[in-house]
Amino acid sequence: MAVTYDSPRSTALPSALHPLEPLTAEEILAALAILRASQPLGDRVRFISITLHEPPKSLVLDFEPGTAFEREAFVIVLDNGTGNTYEAIVSITHQSVKSWRHIPDVQPPIALDEFFDCEATVKASPEFQAAVRKRGITDMDLVCVDPWSAGWYADDPQEDRGRRLSRALCWVRSNPTDNLYAHPIDGLIVIVDLNAMQVVRVEDHAVIPVPSEMSNYTTEYVKDLRSDLKPLEITQPQGASFQVQGHAIRWQKWQMRIGFTPREGLVLYQVGYEDQGRVRPIFYRASLVEMTVPYGDTNITQARKNAFDVGEYGVGTLANSLKLGCDCLGEIYYFDAVMANTRGEIFEIKNAICMHEEDYGILWKHTDWRTDQVEVRRSRRLVLSFIATVGNYEYGFFWYFYQDGTIQYEVKLTGMMTTAAVMPGEKPAYGTELTPQLYAPNHQHVFCVRMDMMIDGVNNSVYEVDTEAVPLGATNPYGNAFYAKSTLLATEQEAQRLIDPFKARYWKIVNPSVQNRMGYPVGYKLMPGENALPFAHPEASVMQRGGYMTKHLWVTPYDETERFPAGDYPNQHVGGAGLPQWTQANDSVENTDIVIWYTFNHTHIPRCEDWPVMPVSYIGFMLKPVNFFDLNPANDVPPAPPKSCCH
Ligand code: NI
């Protein structure tokens, strides 16, 4: 559906049910019309993003259904003519622009429209055409250009400074359906000015023969499909167990709202669990807020590759429409994502968010071996997910909610590794050769999830919990004793922490003012999974720009302006923004409204088995209640009907 900003619209918009409901198509168009009426925007502006300007937390927490509230849009505007970036807050309710700010010296994310424009611009360049002809490529229709972000480097040529750039990399297909990533045009980099939409220069570093072996994974190429898979069907004859109203969800004892932004994709709001007749809050807001992929290869086309996929592109705009191919089994409920393209036309991703229930094995079990009484319960989880295609890679972002109060976040990494080429007879120094002369460079995927915690109320504290052995001696005569040592992380700098699996380290977020039945402060523990630190040198550009990657845990006092750990505008940013900057003040994070930032790092040394398409790799973390409840909250899950497990 494409609706232009000046299409007929009613002046009275249907009112949203809740202040956190995402903007509707009508509201987006109304906001843009109000902005255009108030500002002389000209015809060279791009609307980089239009999202709900979230109301103050206090307003949301005090919200009573049925009461009136104001609807506002937050708009990022890029003027391609001047290169200036603006932020606007538009009151849709009052049909006015509440603020209009020029944000100097920033580059907003590269928008999806710019991908297509950039590719067309490069392919039309005579200098580029000459460079690919030098490599024996004559059919420009088969050439593909990926608009990699340019980053910021001290030795960038002076002509690049202040420009909105892409450092585009190129591939070529053997035929229109061939996998382009099998054929990198290595040694060739095209610097594109995205404001002027012009090639700044073609950097032809070396003519490296394009690897010729085809690597295809689609059914038209894989002829010998295995034939011994019997049907496995998930049926829910009475439907799913969740209820949905707008973007509010109830499932089992869980309640939450969801949203979707171009930058973050799926956002969770006001997640709570019903316990003894009341809904107990856990999160106010949670989302993936950055993701950086540093490459560890000195090859000239690879050495400046560092993608900040959230801040430089936006994983929401790159979300898949699951209408086109279902990724889940069972009774699925889909939410659409409504956004706008940079021309202010509605850009709707049908079925962007998938929600369904999954059987998850055993929830709990005990056999009383004296009486032969067996009690077992099946575990079920609610799954909320979306999948983004960022150029060559797919990322699935999954939240899981379990009946026992556990929350899990998982990223599924799949798709296509980015590739490079070596000269015949050479071996890649910092990557794995996949087919003759084709290799995938070593890299890491660093994710950061921001969780605005609200454990039984807004004021929370964080403890680091290490398990420690008691020294052998009078208090531990058999040398067997160990205990959980909790250390309060009282300030922002004290709360910059790393994992320590040898101490079974976890972090516990508690509400010090609320105790459970046995007198423990109620809490949730953040349990790290796979993790690592970056291997880039501290002075490397990506480390300056992604300082958040140097710590696994950060805790900050809530500030509605602190949303993205590498800053609001990481694209081409010199570095230092975001968490490293904010936490210099070393504010207290004790018994106050806090935000937890967890960074987790998947190190990818490519395998031949990751080619031609990568089997899913998983990484994430868990949040488990720790003395939040008085007892196992899932003791009341009924047994499954006998026919569901026996034949
Ligand atoms: Ni990878």
Side-chain angles (χ1 to χ4, degrees):
M1 181 176 73
V3 182
T4 55
Y5 64 88
D6 56 0
S7 65
R9 63 182 178 86
S10 70
T11 46
L13 296 172
S15 54
L17 294 167
H18 188 275
L20 292 174
E21 278 289 311
L23 295 183
T24 62
E26 291 76 18
E27 287 176 318
I28 289 171
L29 295 175
L32 291 177
I34 295 161
L35 187 58
R36 284 178 185 275
S38 141
Q39 292 293 328
L41 294 177
D43 56 5
R44 295 208 59 206
V45 301
R46 285 186 189 264
F47 299 102
I48 296 295
S49 65
I50 304 145
T51 51
L52 174 71
H53 184 241
E54 292 176 16
K57 191 191 283 192
S58 57
L59 184 149
V60 175
L61 294 178
D62 294 341
F63 174 70
E64 297 283 347
T67 54
F69 52 89
E70 191 171 355
R71 295 287 278 170
E72 293 178 352
F74 175 70
V75 189
I76 298 176
V77 178
L78 169 66
D79 186 331
N80 284 145
T82 61
N84 288 342
T85 299
Y86 302 90
E87 291 181 354
I89 297 170
V90 179
S91 170
I92 301 163
T93 310
H94 299 308
Q95 305 210 6
S96 64
V97 176
K98 292 183 75 171
S99 79
W100 172 260
R101 283 202 307 151
H102 173 224
I103 313 296
D105 306 323
V106 300
Q107 291 299 341
I110 300 175
L112 188 56
D113 319 28
E114 291 179 295
F115 279 44
F116 299 107
D117 295 351
C118 177
E119 180 169 59
T121 300
V122 171
K123 288 171 69 169
S125 154
E127 200 185 343
F128 175 73
Q129 291 172 1
V132 299
R133 270 199 303 274
K134 252 166 73 179
R135 291 157 168 84
I137 300 162
T138 50
D139 188 349
M140 284 305 293
D141 289 344
L142 297 174
V143 173
C144 303
V145 181
D146 281 359
W148 279 76
S149 54
W152 189 97
Y153 293 86
D155 62 350
D156 285 333
Q158 200 53 42
E159 67 172 351
D160 291 2
R161 292 280 179 244
R163 287 177 126 153
R164 176 170 177 77
L165 296 178
S166 169
R167 193 182 303 281
L169 301 177
C170 318
W171 284 264
V172 60
R173 301 182 197 265
S174 298
N175 66 59
T177 62
D178 181 35
N179 176 9
L180 60 125
Y181 295 106
H183 317 293
I185 307 174
D186 210 329
L188 189 62
I189 303 171
V190 189
I191 310 299
V192 182
D193 182 328
L194 297 176
N195 277 327
M197 214 35 96
Q198 283 174 355
V199 170
V200 175
R201 64 180 178 278
V202 175
E203 295 180 357
D204 195 346
H205 294 280
V207 176
I208 300 167
V210 175
S212 59
E213 186 173 305
M214 302 229 294
S215 301
N216 285 297
Y217 57 93
T218 54
T219 46
E220 62 189 292
Y221 289 96
V222 182
K223 295 299 180 199
D224 297 322
L225 295 175
R226 60 182 74 181
S227 59
D228 54 352
L229 268 181
K230 302 275 194 293
L232 190 159
E233 287 173 9
I234 310 289
T235 58
Q236 295 185 272
Q238 296 169 36
S241 317
F242 45 71
Q243 294 136 39
V244 181
Q245 186 184 33
H247 289 74
I249 298 161
R250 289 180 73 135
W251 177 76
Q252 292 284 285
K253 296 186 174 183
W254 289 101
Q255 293 193 19
M256 67 195 74
R257 306 191 61 85
I258 62 165
F260 196 89
T261 72
R263 185 162 176 170
E264 304 155 283
L266 176 62
V267 179
L268 304 179
Y269 299 107
Q270 295 192 285
V271 175
Y273 190 101
E274 193 184 318
D275 178 33
Q276 299 176 43
R278 67 200 170 94
V279 178
R280 299 176 60 191
I282 297 164
F283 292 147
Y284 178 73
R285 191 185 193 282
S287 65
L288 176 82
V289 282
E290 197 49 273
M291 170 188 164
T292 305
V293 188
Y295 284 81
D297 184 4
T298 55
N299 169 345
I300 192 75
T301 50
Q302 306 298 312
R304 294 182 186 223
K305 266 166 74 171
N306 301 293
F308 286 65
D309 286 336
V310 173
E312 290 181 339
Y313 300 108
V315 290
T317 49
L318 301 175
N320 289 181
S321 171
L322 301 175
K323 188 180 69 172
L324 300 172
C326 191
D327 301 308
C328 307
L329 285 176
E331 287 285 313
I332 314 293
Y333 187 96
Y334 292 108
F335 296 88
D336 301 335
V338 181
M339 296 176 281
N341 67 17
T342 67
R343 299 306 175 200
E345 297 159 348
I346 292 299
F347 163 57
E348 187 174 28
I349 302 176
K350 292 298 269 182
N351 299 1
I353 302 168
C354 169
M355 177 169 73
H356 71 291
E357 294 174 285
E358 277 179 3
D359 180 274
Y360 197 65
I362 293 173
L363 171 61
W364 53 261
K365 176 171 184 172
H366 183 60
T367 301
D368 185 329
W369 51 270
R370 289 187 174 81
T371 64
D372 277 346
Q373 186 177 12
V374 182
E375 290 284 337
V376 60
R377 300 294 184 271
R378 298 295 299 176
S379 176
R380 203 182 288 193
R381 63 184 186 183
L382 179 73
V383 187
L384 276 157
S385 67
F386 77 105
I387 295 179
T389 300
V390 187
N392 49 291
Y393 237 85
E394 263 73 17
Y395 296 97
F397 302 104
F398 285 68
W399 287 100
Y400 301 109
F401 298 88
Y402 294 84
Q403 289 158 305
D404 69 348
T406 298
I407 300 169
Q408 182 182 359
Y409 187 74
E410 185 174 75
V411 183
K412 300 185 183 187
L413 300 92
T414 181
M416 205 62 52
M417 294 184 292
T418 185
T419 49
V422 283
M423 290 290 195
E426 284 183 11
K427 285 285 177 190
Y430 306 106
T432 304
E433 196 172 23
L434 305 169
T435 70
Q437 291 130 60
L438 176 80
Y439 76 98
N442 299 339
H443 59 276
Q444 296 185 292
H445 303 261
V446 189
F447 303 90
C448 184
V449 171
R450 175 185 183 273
M451 289 168 277
D452 182 351
M453 303 305 296
M454 204 179 152
I455 305 289
D456 259 346
V458 291
N459 290 339
N460 291 173
S461 297
V462 181
Y463 288 83
E464 179 164 276
V465 183
D466 287 347
T467 299
E468 303 234 336
V470 179
L472 192 63
T475 59
N476 185 23
Y478 298 100
N480 61 311
F482 60 88
Y483 69 108
K485 182 177 144 195
S486 289
T487 306
L488 176 71
L489 306 177
T491 68
E492 286 177 301
Q493 285 173 22
E494 283 176 40
Q496 294 172 12
R497 308 300 302 165
L498 298 178
I499 60 162
D500 190 344
F502 293 105
K503 292 183 174 168
R505 176 171 291 172
Y506 59 84
W507 297 288
K508 188 168 70 173
I509 303 107
V510 303
N511 186 328
S513 308
V514 181
Q515 283 89 43
N516 78 349
R517 185 170 66 108
M518 300 313 292
Y520 293 108
V522 296
Y524 261 72
K525 62 176 175 178
L526 194 166
M527 299 165 65
E530 177 193 342
N531 215 332
L533 283 169
F535 292 101
H537 190 276
E539 288 180 15
S541 165
V542 69
M543 299 303 290
Q544 299 300 310
R545 301 175 57 227
Y548 79 91
M549 298 188 294
T550 60
K551 303 292 175 188
H552 297 131
L553 181 79
W554 303 76
V555 184
T556 55
Y558 172 76
D559 178 336
E560 64 177 11
T561 66
E562 296 180 356
R563 295 269 300 277
F564 300 104
D568 287 345
Y569 294 96
N571 190 18
Q572 293 182 256
H573 197 279
V574 62
L579 282 169
Q581 185 182 31
W582 304 326
T583 55
Q584 277 170 18
N586 202 23
D587 288 330
S588 169
V589 290
E590 182 184 357
N591 197 14
T592 188
D593 187 357
I594 54 169
V595 174
I596 307 288
W597 312 70
Y598 180 60
T599 305
F600 48 109
N601 185 329
H602 174 68
T603 302
H604 191 176
I605 306 297
R607 308 172 302 156
C608 291
E609 291 86 349
D610 293 334
W611 193 251
V613 64
M614 202 177 102
V616 169
S617 264
Y618 302 87
I619 186 170
F621 60 93
M622 306 274 272
L623 285 154
K624 272 187 181 287
V626 52
N627 307 320
F628 183 78
F629 299 105
D630 294 337
L631 294 163
N632 176 0
N635 212 14
D636 61 352
V637 172
K643 73 178 171 65
S644 66
C645 57
C646 303
H647 284 287

